[in-house]
Amino acid sequence: MGFTIPEPYAWDESFRVDYDSLDHEHQNLFKAIFDCAAAPGDGGKLAALVDVTSGHFSNEEGMMSSAGYGDYAAHKKMHDEFLGKIKGLSAPINDDTVKFAKNWLVTHIKATDHKYKGKL
Ligand SMILES: [Fe+2]
Ligand SMILES: [Fe+2]
């Protein structure tokens, strides 16, 4: 599934999931990836990305779990895989890695997060 990657890389209304806390966290995720792309050699930016990603995933998973959301297990598995990948990175990250992260977030929100709209 091909979704347009925003350039400059930033959250816009097309990513809205209608839960303010999660939309706010998604904005921070875009910013964290933007910052890594702007400073690929900065290990602090990479650590910050891991941090905001892990915080967001646990909040989102908490909401899905409390709501008894049916797709929880498969959704969490995608989170775990992505988090595992970015945790394994070290600075400097290369262009392919930046592209991968940019694309993963856009695709994940639109193809996967959007499915819980109205259900949490
Ligand atoms: Fe998600
Ligand atoms: Fe999300």
Side-chain angles (χ1 to χ4, degrees):
M1 221 173 314
F3 296 104
T4 305
I5 309 298
E7 188 54 52
Y9 196 69
W11 187 93
D12 65 55
E13 291 295 328
S14 70
F15 294 98
R16 190 176 284 286
V17 293
D18 291 335
Y19 301 99
D20 286 345
S21 60
L22 299 179
D23 283 323
H24 181 72
E25 290 169 11
H26 285 159
Q27 289 169 31
N28 288 338
L29 278 175
F30 273 90
K31 169 103 174 58
I33 292 177
F34 177 92
D35 289 346
C36 286
D42 186 337
K45 303 289 187 204
L46 188 55
L49 172 63
V50 170
D51 232 53
V52 294
T53 301
S54 140
H56 168 63
F57 286 173
S58 42
N59 291 335
E60 198 175 82
E61 286 160 16
M63 286 174 69
M64 289 193 282
S65 165
S66 311
Y69 183 62
D71 234 19
Y72 174 83
H75 194 140
K76 183 180 188 315
K77 192 166 174 252
M78 291 182 205
H79 286 174
D80 290 346
E81 279 172 14
F82 181 70
L83 191 58
K85 273 184 194 161
I86 61 172
K87 274 186 173 166
L89 296 171
S90 51
I93 53 170
N94 62 32
D95 285 356
D96 283 348
T97 301
V98 168
K99 222 176 271 173
F100 161 75
K102 283 183 169 180
N103 187 59
W104 188 89
L105 182 63
V106 163
T107 304
H108 181 76
I109 294 175
K110 292 200 165 173
T112 302
D113 286 354
H114 276 185
K115 289 185 186 157
Y116 63 56
K117 269 187 173 185
K119 296 183 177 168
L120 305 187

